[in-house]
Amino acid sequence: MSTMIPATDRKKAGTMSLMINGKKIKALKGMTVLEAALGASVYIPTLCYDPDLKPYGACRLCLVEIEGMRGIVSSCTTPAVDGMVIRTDTPMVNLARRAALELILVNHHGDCLTCTKNQRCELQKVAQYLGIEQENLDKLRKGTQILPVDKSHPAFDRDHNKCLLCGRCVQACEEIAAVGAIDLAFRGYATKVSTFGDKPIHDSICVSCGECISRCPTGALVPKHYIQPTDHVKTICPYCGVGCSIYLGIRGNEIVDVQGAKESPVNKGGLCVKGRYGLDFVNHQDRLTRPLIRKEGVPKNVSTTDIHQIFREADWNEVLDRMAQDIGLTIDRHGPDAIGLLSSAKCTNEDNYLFQKFARAVLHTNNVDHCARLCHASTVAAALAAFGDGAMSNSISDIDQAEVLFVIGSNTTECHPIIGRRIKRAIKNNGAKLIVADPRRIELCDMAEIHLDHFPGTDVALLNGMMRQIVEENLHDQTFIAKRCEEFEPFLESLNGYDLKTVDAITGVAGEKIRQSGLLFGKAKKAIVLYGMGITQHTTGTDNVKAIANLLMLTGNLGRKGTGFSPLRGQNNVQGACDMGALPVVYPGYQRVDHPGVREKFEKAWGKNLNEKPGITITEMVQAAYEGQLKALYVMGENPMLSEPDLNHVREALARLELLIVQDIFLTETAQMADVILPATSFAEKDGTFTNTERRVQRVRKAIDPPGEARPDWEIIAEISKRLGYPMDYQSSAEIMDEIARLTPIYGGINHDRLGRGGLQWPCWDKKHTGTPILHKGQFTRGRGKFHVVLDRPPAELPTFAYPILLTTGRILEHWHTGSMSHRSHVLETLAPESRVEINPVDASRLGIVEGDVISLSSCRGAIQTKVKKTHRVRPGQAFMAFHWKEAPANRLTNPAFDLQAKIPEFKVSSVKAILTVLERAVEDNKFLTALAENPAGVLASYDLTPEHRKALVDGDIASLEKWVGPLEERLQMWLKVRLKQENISEK
Amino acid sequence: MEQAIYEELAVESRLEIEGLFNEIGKEFKGRADELIPMLQRVQRALGFLPEQALLEIARLTRLSTARVFGTATFYAQFRFQPVGRNVIRVCRGTACHVKGSDRILEDIKGHLQVAPGQMTRDGLFTIETVACFGSCALAPIMVVNDSVYGSLKRSRALKLLDEIRVREEGLLM
Ligand code: SF4
Ligand code: SF4
Ligand code: SF4
Ligand code: FES
Ligand code: FES
């Protein structure tokens, strides 16, 4: 056996023995000579070798002598063979190595002492080992040109003068990040690592993941501000639901470095820009450090942002006493269901568990919910109904095994970057085929076999259309359906209405493309559907998810490796917050509150009578507050003032509350309306667990001390609870987890000490159970998988004459939700400093809008101003905007209409109109200009104009127009000219 | 190699590129190993490799844009700027340098208002520099298209250019 075998497959291949420097060693078959030597702790100098990358053989330092082979060979590219006799440290070998090193060093410019990499540089290490003659260097050194350092990126610098051309960065970008932003370019002495067109890295397609930076052996690629950490703490990234494991590098009480954990099965050392460069918010000066109380008489709707005018600092005892008193009063006056609690998908499982326990056992209400309502409530509802479990069925690593990946309603490379790159690698390396269904031309479309750009809100029709094709071609898995599912017949019949012509008309996608995707998906032996908020955030959200469930059951793609149902959960711990029962209808582990047996169990465990009435959801709480039935709201780590739809309505609702308590790490937009603010700890300052999108419960560890008097969320909850007469005496979060395990069968075997290396995937029934990577093996959680009849329905709001543009909302790579964290990260904020609405160039030119213009977007609920980005990513007639900016809150526009089953609002479809902001300002007091703006040609027809005015309009004669309507801003003049020319107004 | 940083393309050349790629799409299968033939095909059609064309090739071959750029810049045969009808090459070798070729180059740059590797706005000239022509005895050397001018004086260099212009356009700058 003389070929190299990828590390993952080696265990099966067996072992072999080699002689290295006269010592006999064992190695796994398929290893290279270098790997065998390193495995036996024999040092061989290397510069281009990286265990995560394919062998490249560029630096020629890893040379060795092998008996029977002529000359010396590079050990990193030579497969080891049983019985080989290798010498790694002979004079000849070292001579050749030194020659190779000297060639590298003569082209290496820079002063080691001032270099960020000093003492961590692999070149220094190798030079020390081999010893270098200055004389030789002087002989070789030619006056090479010093190249300018590329400082365009906020997180790192690129200094070509220190580059060895080892190619590790290029390979990392291609093989690990799957981006391909850089490559070796030019030739001879001019060879260098270059972006496309040799532009600064900031202007390239680089996604700032930092994989290249962490692998450069020298100071050529270095972080901008490097401080050497003195401590490393392993924990979990607090941003998205992928749940990457990280090592926080700590110096003093600050996070100064972040590295991905190589041993993590989730990210294998990789990170995205948020995880690697976005954690400085933890040490931001804006952190809340003391409890705050609203000053007497300051109204809720004050416009000032000067917090000292609104709040006064207080000490913990005063605040906690007062809260307990106010809550008690509310309950006495209005009953427990006049209180609502918003738990947090950013907080730990332990925090969430305690929060819902506080609601249920102490306050006697089930009115507890969290932002899963706004993202995956429809997933939970639909998947519980179809399969009996509301979570992702398989593991992230299953992506590597699938033949077909169907990504629908998920911009994975931006919203779940580490999963996104896994998809790209599966396509590149394993030949997986990709189908993308998304109204926008997202990045993944470039690698897709088929892109279905259906109209927003037509997912059911699209999926039904595909399924009908599958059935027509007899590609459905009849055995699976017969053995494992039920209610197939009515479902089958329901597909009758979805012939290609009908579906084409509804979705706007050519029938042939739908047919092709049906065939591709239907023929695959192993296929996965990955989806995100493009599926769930609709008034038909639950139906959309049911249609996906139907597709998977129809094709038998469940319960096996490489298949599965993959809702990509948004927040770092949204899965956990659901699991912990931060939902109005269930206790931890999805045990229903209206089930008497279950309730009895919890009553016994908590020693309190519990309310049997299911609680209300976030969306309903807002409405109840607006109508005056809900009097108090306790918000832990959520920001409804930016995340809810129809913000103007939310603001009014929150203003009507008698008591608003906000517990957070920053003064969020919601906190600004609070009566009491409690400073909590960030992920880096507490212990606990997060559960990621693949149901993996992972350990979060305290790395630094909280700022000022901030306290862990669970401790705050316990303190209030005590004051309300229900002591919660936990010594640690681990103790809370033990209680969770006792009461929650799916977490039965979870315990902090068991989560060491890679965490555990629930269900984990007992302390011996090793977790469940794949659900629904052999049988569904609910027994048989249930097909549902789902028929398409249009979205609640459709474009109209007055609001002609269809707006969808979402996220971008560099920011996170309402941005209270990511806007406080220097790198993230520098990379994406302001909001931009994406519109198609066709619409832009119709509206006379150019790149970078500020426009007003309005729906019938409100208006915002934002800059414009012209792009073919969105279709004409559509616009896309992220909801991260308080200056331009997209959710002021969105429609609160919600899915009746899951109560999830339709964030993905609202109708808006767009107008240049200067124009809008100008037309405010000028009716004629308004008419002109909306319909220049119509003005000629409907206004009784003098011939003089008429001529001015036809000719686009601004000076005359100004005499008439008053002075016009410069941008406005330009706009008018373009607009008048476009309309092709002429005297008829 | 001069830096290949692109300027915004004019609309008509964009249309030209679109047309070209309609044909290329039919001629090639879109495999990664067709990269170099594709680059050659584009250069034959357009005389150089505009940014838009490299992006299109990346899309067709599914290679990264950086890989396409890296490969293209590795080969001397490819150009990244449009070429003028007359290519002026000035030698920068040691012998020519000593004899003042740098001043000649400066003069020409000033006269034509372009940097080496670039084409004049009117499409008449492209200037390039060369390491050594191997005719050091005749230093300083300038080559206009296929004609070699040795032992060149500064004043003569500019005159040569003007002569070409007069020949092609019938007028003086
Ligand atoms: S930061 Fe990431 S995307 Fe950017 S060049 Fe490096 S590896 Fe590539
Ligand atoms: S920048 Fe660093 S990693 Fe990239 S080729 Fe140069 S030395 Fe190697
Ligand atoms: S992919 Fe998600 S979990 Fe991983 S580093 Fe990025 S934001 Fe953090
Ligand atoms: S490590 Fe083997 S050639 Fe660089
Ligand atoms: S230096 Fe100019 S020809 Fe040799």
Side-chain angles (χ1 to χ4, degrees):
Chain A
M1 163 93 51
S2 68
T3 43
M4 286 177 253
I5 301 178
T8 39
D9 304 337
R10 278 183 196 147
K11 265 189 223 126
K12 295 174 232 140
T15 59
M16 56 185 164
S17 52
L18 316 168
M19 278 292 245
I20 298 189
N21 301 338
K23 233 175 59 199
K24 196 163 167 189
I25 63 141
K26 280 222 166 326
L28 293 178
K29 281 193 179 154
M31 279 185 163
T32 61
V33 172
L34 177 64
E35 285 167 327
L38 295 180
S41 305
V42 177
Y43 176 70
I44 294 180
T46 61
L47 282 173
C48 70
Y49 167 75
D50 186 310
D52 301 337
L53 304 171
K54 293 191 192 122
Y56 184 52
C59 73
R60 309 286 300 162
L61 280 167
C62 63
L63 301 171
V64 294
E65 272 179 71
I66 298 177
E67 243 169 54
M69 284 196 185
R70 237 197 291 159
I72 39 185
V73 295
S74 56
S75 59
C76 70
T77 54
T78 308
V81 177
D82 203 22
M84 240 179 197
V85 179
I86 301 153
R87 260 175 227 91
T88 70
D89 206 14
T90 67
M92 184 161 78
V93 159
N94 281 330
L95 195 72
R97 285 174 181 166
R98 226 170 271 133
L101 181 61
E102 278 162 1
L103 281 177
I104 289 170
L105 282 174
V106 291
N107 289 313
H108 187 83
H109 303 272
D111 177 3
C112 286
L113 286 180
T114 57
C115 180
T116 313
K117 270 280 169 63
N118 192 19
Q119 302 201 357
R120 295 177 302 128
C121 175
E122 293 177 36
L123 184 58
Q124 282 179 335
K125 191 171 144 200
V126 170
Q128 248 156 32
Y129 175 79
L130 291 175
I132 289 299
E133 304 280 333
Q134 183 62 42
E135 211 180 302
N136 289 350
L137 287 190
D138 292 343
K139 250 191 278 164
L140 286 165
R141 186 160 269 166
K142 285 207 208 106
T144 320
Q145 192 181 356
I146 300 288
L147 297 168
V149 179
D150 177 1
K151 298 192 169 187
S152 63
H153 198 279
F156 50 80
D157 291 339
R158 300 165 70 226
D159 184 351
H160 300 288
N161 305 300
K162 294 179 183 165
C163 173
L164 320 173
L165 301 177
C166 71
R168 272 156 84 170
C169 55
V170 172
Q171 279 185 287
C173 193
E174 182 79 29
E175 293 170 22
I176 294 182
V179 172
I182 45 178
D183 199 357
L184 295 175
F186 308 104
R187 80 185 149 275
Y189 272 114
T191 307
K192 67 171 179 173
V193 176
S194 163
T195 60
F196 178 75
D198 201 17
K199 294 174 185 167
I201 190 87
H202 183 66
D203 301 333
S204 75
I205 56 167
C206 166
V207 297
S208 312
C209 65
E211 299 300 352
C212 55
I213 311 300
S214 70
R215 284 179 176 78
C216 179
T218 72
L221 294 174
V222 286
K224 260 206 163 75
H225 310 286
Y226 185 77
I227 300 173
Q228 180 110 34
T230 48
D231 246 326
H232 290 273
V233 179
K234 187 176 176 187
T235 186
I236 301 298
C237 170
Y239 279 107
C240 86
V242 176
C244 297
S245 280
I246 51 179
Y247 283 98
L248 295 179
I250 306 297
R251 173 89 162 249
N253 204 40
E254 241 179 83
I255 301 173
V256 292
D257 183 43
V258 184
Q259 297 293 336
K262 296 211 172 181
E263 68 278 16
S264 159
V266 175
N267 55 314
K268 295 184 171 163
L271 291 177
C272 81
V273 60
K274 290 188 287 287
R276 197 181 300 272
Y277 298 120
L279 302 185
D280 47 339
F281 72 87
V282 168
N283 294 106
H284 198 279
Q285 61 189 32
D286 287 356
R287 281 289 301 274
L288 295 171
T289 57
R290 292 203 64 190
L292 298 170
I293 291 183
R294 189 170 212 89
K295 288 185 178 166
E296 283 300 319
V298 178
K300 289 292 175 73
N301 264 329
V302 296
S303 52
T304 168
T305 45
D306 176 6
I307 60 167
H308 299 291
Q309 282 188 28
I310 317 176
F311 300 102
R312 68 175 169 83
E313 293 189 345
D315 71 32
W316 273 107
N317 274 328
E318 180 193 352
V319 167
L320 291 168
D321 288 345
R322 173 157 158 199
M323 269 179 67
Q325 193 189 352
D326 288 355
I327 291 175
L329 225 62
T330 310
I331 296 180
D332 288 347
R333 281 206 209 119
H334 309 284
D337 285 337
I339 303 185
L341 295 96
L342 288 190
S343 197
S344 174
K346 284 241 110 25
C347 291
T348 61
N349 286 322
E350 292 76 1
D351 296 332
N352 275 286
Y353 171 81
L354 222 58
F355 199 64
Q356 61 85 38
K357 178 176 177 183
F358 173 73
R360 295 183 159 123
V362 184
L363 305 184
H364 199 66
T365 180
N366 285 312
N367 288 348
V368 56
D369 201 4
H370 71 284
C371 69
R373 186 65 50 205
L374 308 177
C375 62
H376 271 293
S378 32
T379 294
V380 177
L384 277 174
F387 311 137
D389 251 320
M392 185 159 157
S393 68
N394 290 42
S395 305
I396 296 171
S397 58
D398 281 44
I399 291 171
D400 305 350
Q401 322 274 330
E403 289 170 18
V404 168
L405 298 163
F406 180 19
V407 175
I408 177 166
S410 156
N411 184 8
T412 326
T413 51
E414 292 203 52
C415 299
H416 297 86
I418 294 298
I419 294 182
R421 60 160 79 150
R422 201 149 190 156
I423 294 175
K424 288 170 138 190
R425 289 199 306 241
I427 299 166
K428 273 196 206 168
N429 305 341
N430 318 339
K433 299 265 184 293
L434 173 69
I435 306 171
V436 175
D438 202 298
R440 286 197 300 154
R441 197 181 157 80
I442 54 171
E443 188 194 336
L444 276 181
C445 294
D446 293 343
M447 303 189 82
E449 217 61 29
I450 305 173
H451 172 212
L452 306 164
D453 50 349
H454 58 312
F455 294 129
T458 61
D459 305 85
V460 167
L462 185 77
L463 291 164
N464 281 354
M466 274 175 70
M467 286 191 274
R468 178 165 158 164
Q469 292 303 311
I470 291 173
V471 174
E472 274 185 9
E473 293 292 330
N474 250 322
L475 293 171
H476 52 306
D477 187 338
Q478 292 169 6
T479 331
F480 186 89
I481 297 168
K483 274 209 187 133
R484 302 202 35 195
C485 306
E486 61 189 22
E487 304 195 20
F488 179 62
E489 297 308 323
F491 157 74
L492 188 62
E493 210 166 297
S494 73
L495 295 182
N496 284 342
Y498 294 92
D499 55 278
L500 290 180
K501 233 171 113 195
T502 313
V503 177
D504 179 335
I506 301 173
T507 60
V509 179
E512 188 47 34
K513 276 203 326 198
I514 298 173
R515 186 177 151 73
Q516 288 308 331
S517 18
L519 298 192
L520 188 59
F521 194 91
K523 284 184 183 155
K525 288 194 196 65
K526 290 183 282 181
I528 303 180
V529 182
L530 299 113
Y531 71 90
M533 252 111 280
I535 280 291
T536 58
Q537 290 179 334
H538 286 282
T539 45
T540 57
T542 308
D543 285 350
N544 291 349
V545 180
K546 282 179 178 165
I548 289 175
N550 288 342
L551 174 64
L552 288 164
M553 289 188 288
L554 183 71
T555 50
N557 276 311
L558 283 159
R560 288 179 290 131
K561 190 111 193 100
T563 68
F565 169 76
S566 300
L568 300 176
R569 307 300 302 255
Q571 295 274 14
N572 56 323
N573 196 34
V574 65
Q575 183 64 52
C578 289
D579 298 345
M580 291 302 107
L583 296 169
V585 290
V586 289
Y587 296 119
Y590 307 96
Q591 308 176 75
R592 293 193 62 95
V593 296
D594 48 8
H595 186 290
V598 168
R599 193 166 60 247
E600 210 173 291
K601 170 169 107 177
F602 281 92
E603 285 181 337
K604 223 158 105 201
W606 293 342
K608 286 282 259 187
N609 276 341
L610 299 176
N611 193 335
E612 60 189 315
K613 199 174 113 210
I616 55 175
T617 61
I618 294 190
T619 354
E620 290 162 322
M621 285 182 207
V622 170
Q623 193 53 29
Y626 189 83
E627 285 163 7
Q629 289 121 14
L630 195 83
K631 302 290 182 194
L633 188 64
Y634 180 178
V635 181
M636 169 172 85
E638 297 246 327
N639 191 9
M641 267 308 298
L642 276 188
S643 59
E644 288 283 316
D646 194 3
L647 293 180
N648 290 339
H649 182 76
V650 179
R651 167 172 290 276
E652 183 54 36
L654 295 191
R656 289 181 187 182
L657 288 167
E658 284 172 10
L659 175 64
L660 176 61
I661 303 164
V662 174
Q663 180 169 317
D664 211 308
I665 62 173
F666 291 112
L667 192 87
T668 62
E669 292 66 34
T670 308
Q672 285 178 23
M673 300 189 70
D675 297 284
V676 178
I677 302 175
L678 309 168
T681 47
S682 76
F683 82 105
E685 295 141 5
K686 63 181 166 194
D687 282 300
T689 54
F690 290 157
T691 305
N692 81 347
T693 188
E694 54 171 357
R695 299 170 280 107
R696 188 183 296 277
V697 188
Q698 309 191 91
R699 265 294 257 129
V700 174
R701 293 183 183 81
K702 179 170 186 249
I704 54 175
D705 290 326
E709 296 172 21
R711 298 173 78 169
D713 293 272
W714 67 265
E715 277 186 41
I716 304 175
I717 302 162
E719 283 289 342
I720 306 168
S721 183
K722 184 168 80 191
R723 284 172 171 77
L724 284 164
Y726 187 90
M728 292 182 174
D729 292 321
Y730 302 98
Q731 298 308 309
S732 66
S733 67
E735 214 177 276
I736 303 177
M737 184 46 86
D738 292 340
E739 179 174 324
I740 297 170
R742 279 198 298 279
L743 291 166
T744 316
I746 54 173
Y747 276 64
I750 306 281
N751 161 287
H752 279 195
D753 293 337
R754 288 195 71 204
L755 300 176
R757 255 177 101 78
L760 286 167
Q761 283 171 284
W762 69 253
C764 173
W765 305 110
D766 56 53
K767 295 273 158 11
K768 295 233 170 56
H769 197 267
T770 52
T772 313
I774 301 178
L775 295 176
H776 318 304
K777 263 190 182 164
Q779 147 165 341
F780 285 98
T781 310
R782 74 182 284 279
R784 279 179 170 260
K786 183 174 169 184
F787 278 98
H788 287 88
V789 172
V790 282
L791 303 176
D792 70 294
R793 275 180 291 130
E797 192 168 87
L798 286 170
T800 59
F801 186 69
Y803 298 102
I805 297 175
L806 194 157
L807 176 77
T808 68
T809 63
R811 298 196 274 120
I812 60 169
L813 172 68
E814 292 85 359
H815 278 296
W816 186 256
H817 283 70
T818 69
S820 53
M821 288 156 49
S822 60
H823 289 312
R824 290 182 175 90
S825 151
H826 170 71
V827 170
L828 298 179
E829 190 64 1
T830 314
L831 287 171
E834 57 190 359
S835 103
R836 301 228 157 187
V837 59
E838 294 181 359
I839 64 173
N840 187 280
V842 172
D843 289 324
S845 74
R846 194 172 49 75
L847 294 161
I849 293 168
V850 299
E851 181 88 17
D853 264 343
V854 178
I855 65 167
S856 299
L857 280 179
S858 49
S859 73
C860 59
R861 291 162 291 274
I864 58 167
Q865 267 108 46
T866 176
K867 276 201 178 162
V868 168
K869 181 170 161 192
K870 289 201 298 184
T871 166
H872 288 285
R873 290 205 335 163
V874 291
R875 275 200 193 186
Q878 296 177 12
F880 169 83
M881 192 179 166
F883 64 99
H884 309 301
W885 282 275
K886 62 168 186 277
E887 299 80 10
N891 279 326
R892 211 179 269 163
L893 308 173
T894 47
N895 190 353
F898 55 75
D899 177 292
L900 289 179
Q901 301 165 72
K903 314 278 162 60
I904 183 167
E906 188 149 61
F907 288 105
K908 289 292 185 239
V909 185
S910 47
S911 309
V912 299
K913 72 172 176 218
I915 182 171
L916 204 62
T917 299
V918 281
L919 181 63
E920 187 182 56
R921 251 185 275 130
V923 299
E924 256 162 29
D925 46 20
N926 192 319
K927 219 169 118 228
F928 173 74
L929 214 48
T930 313
L932 193 59
E934 273 166 10
N935 184 1
V939 167
L940 288 184
S942 52
Y943 273 72
D944 188 13
L945 301 171
T946 64
E948 195 185 324
H949 286 154
R950 185 171 283 270
K951 185 165 178 331
L953 270 183
V954 174
D955 298 346
D957 174 358
I958 301 291
S960 313
L961 286 177
E962 276 190 318
K963 266 187 237 146
W964 189 9
V965 295
L968 299 171
E969 268 176 73
E970 202 175 312
R971 179 70 189 86
L972 190 56
Q973 295 182 10
M974 255 166 64
W975 180 86
L976 261 182
K977 272 193 206 141
V978 173
R979 197 78 177 86
L980 292 170
K981 205 189 294 159
Q982 239 174 32
E983 285 283 328
N984 214 352
I985 312 171
S986 58
E987 299 269 14
K988 286 197 197 99
Chain B
M1 155 83 47
E2 300 301 333
Q3 298 233 328
I5 293 200
Y6 292 105
E7 287 165 26
E8 181 92 15
L9 273 185
V11 179
E12 47 284 11
S13 47
R14 201 169 283 151
L15 289 177
E16 194 181 344
I17 291 171
E18 267 171 35
L20 174 62
F21 274 92
N22 274 336
E23 287 169 34
I24 291 183
K26 287 181 212 133
E27 293 164 27
F28 292 88
K29 303 218 168 50
R31 289 194 319 258
D33 58 12
E34 291 173 327
L35 171 58
I36 293 178
M38 274 194 209
L39 292 168
Q40 287 165 332
R41 174 77 175 78
V42 173
Q43 176 140 312
R44 237 181 298 129
L46 304 175
F48 75 113
L49 301 174
E51 176 173 271
Q52 197 57 37
L54 293 184
L55 291 172
E56 278 296 314
I57 290 179
R59 197 178 59 80
L60 283 175
T61 54
R62 295 203 172 190
L63 289 167
S64 76
T65 51
R67 172 65 39 94
V68 172
F69 179 77
T71 309
T73 52
F74 180 77
Y75 293 98
Q77 55 175 298
F78 295 120
R79 297 168 170 279
F80 301 89
Q81 301 289 343
V83 232
R85 289 196 290 283
N86 302 284
V87 180
I88 315 288
R89 296 194 180 84
V90 181
C91 180
R92 257 188 176 167
T94 321
C96 294
H97 182 85
V98 171
K99 292 269 179 85
S101 74
D102 54 334
R103 263 167 293 148
I104 294 181
L105 184 63
E106 283 309 310
D107 284 353
I108 295 178
K109 271 164 53 182
H111 192 64
L112 299 179
Q113 289 295 309
V114 281
Q118 289 180 342
M119 179 185 76
T120 53
R121 285 208 161 269
D122 55 9
L124 210 49
F125 298 106
T126 287
I127 17 178
E128 285 180 352
T129 59
V130 173
C132 170
F133 271 113
S135 327
C136 309
L138 295 176
I141 293 231
M142 175 167 110
V143 176
V144 179
N145 300 324
D146 293 328
S147 334
V148 180
Y149 298 84
S151 311
L152 194 71
K153 298 228 165 52
R154 277 173 83 181
S155 51
R156 176 84 182 107
L158 293 189
K159 254 199 217 112
L160 267 171
L161 300 188
D162 287 340
E163 280 165 25
I164 294 174
R165 190 178 291 278
V166 172
R167 201 164 58 236
E168 294 220 2
E169 290 180 354
L171 49 95
L172 258 163
M173 269 217 300

